[in-house]
Amino acid sequence: TQNPELMQGLIFQNGIIHKEGMGEVLINARKWLDENTGESLKQYNKLFELDYTKWEYLNGIYDRTKIAPEYYMLDQYLLDRPQIKAFQIALKKDYRSNVELYPQWQLFLHRWQPRTLILWGKNDEVFTMQGAYKIHELVKKSELRIYDCGHFALLEYPIQISDDIKRFILNK
């Protein structure tokens, strides 16, 4: 937002700038942190365990054969390192700072109307389709591509999404 003249375009892939795109996972995470009780923090910390990591990869996907167990197992292995887990917990706790910037980012997009490509897994329960639609409404000439998958759209549709990105970049 500080140097809009340098922007050649934006690509969103299951990432939101509107509260309406927050799924239950994010809403619950915020609630658990705000409650700040032993039980609520226990629930929050489950977001950093294998069951949740696996859910994030497999929830809403169309073709399970495209999601190798190594994806979520490696993710969890790396997350389980003590310094990394503590860092990730702190980072997710600070997500509130992103939410506070949503109005600024929305105003920027409304004013500048940059070339924008929106790629979305329609079954994502972390960042819902409402988030995609809100960006698409905000940026009048944006392109919206919806895939039958969950949060990690690139894992199921790598060729199609990379083709969309190449086409977008080359068609200035």
Side-chain angles (χ1 to χ4, degrees):
T1 59
Q2 295 177 11
N3 297 296
E5 69 281 357
L6 299 177
M7 184 186 321
Q8 295 180 19
L10 289 174
I11 300 174
F12 286 87
Q13 195 263 295
N14 290 60
I16 59 172
I17 61 167
H18 294 84
K19 288 181 182 179
E20 293 87 348
M22 289 183 178
E24 288 297 313
V25 171
L26 293 177
I27 293 167
N28 286 334
R30 178 54 42 209
K31 180 184 78 159
W32 295 326
L33 286 172
D34 289 345
E35 287 174 2
N36 198 28
T37 66
E39 183 57 32
S40 69
L41 294 177
K42 182 179 174 184
Q43 291 298 317
Y44 177 78
N45 285 327
K46 287 182 181 180
L47 298 176
F48 303 93
E49 301 300 329
L50 179 59
D51 284 347
Y52 176 76
T53 302
K54 186 176 177 180
W55 175 87
E56 205 170 42
Y57 275 86
L58 297 178
N59 185 60
I61 64 172
Y62 176 74
D63 183 356
R64 282 185 172 248
T65 66
K66 293 191 176 184
I67 310 299
E70 294 84 359
Y71 291 150
Y72 51 82
M73 294 302 290
L74 179 59
D75 225 5
Q76 190 62 47
Y77 172 78
L78 295 171
L79 181 60
D80 282 341
R81 296 175 296 164
Q83 318 86 311
I84 301 302
K85 185 170 273 189
F87 174 77
Q88 286 295 321
I89 288 171
L91 185 64
K92 285 198 183 195
K93 281 182 180 177
D94 188 48
Y95 190 77
R96 180 178 285 145
S97 64
N98 274 14
V99 176
E100 291 168 0
L101 290 170
Y102 285 0
Q104 180 182 337
W105 296 338
Q106 293 162 16
L107 182 60
F108 171 80
L109 290 179
H110 175 73
R111 286 185 178 159
W112 282 91
Q113 295 293 309
R115 291 181 63 242
T116 303
L117 175 62
I118 306 162
L119 306 163
W120 219 272
K122 71 178 184 178
N123 306 318
D124 187 352
E125 291 185 41
V126 178
F127 297 128
T128 69
M129 281 299 303
Q130 262 317 103
Y133 294 139
K134 294 297 279 185
I135 296 166
H136 190 50
E137 289 171 17
L138 194 61
V139 184
K140 302 299 180 209
K141 293 183 180 178
S142 60
E143 297 177 48
L144 175 59
R145 302 277 184 259
I146 300 170
Y147 293 89
D148 188 11
C149 60
H151 187 64
F152 296 110
L154 281 166
L155 293 179
E156 277 197 272
Y157 295 96
I159 303 301
Q160 297 89 330
I161 290 175
S162 62
D163 286 347
D164 282 341
I165 292 170
K166 283 187 256 183
R167 182 189 41 72
F168 177 74
I169 289 171
L170 294 175
N171 291 329
K172 298 178 185 179

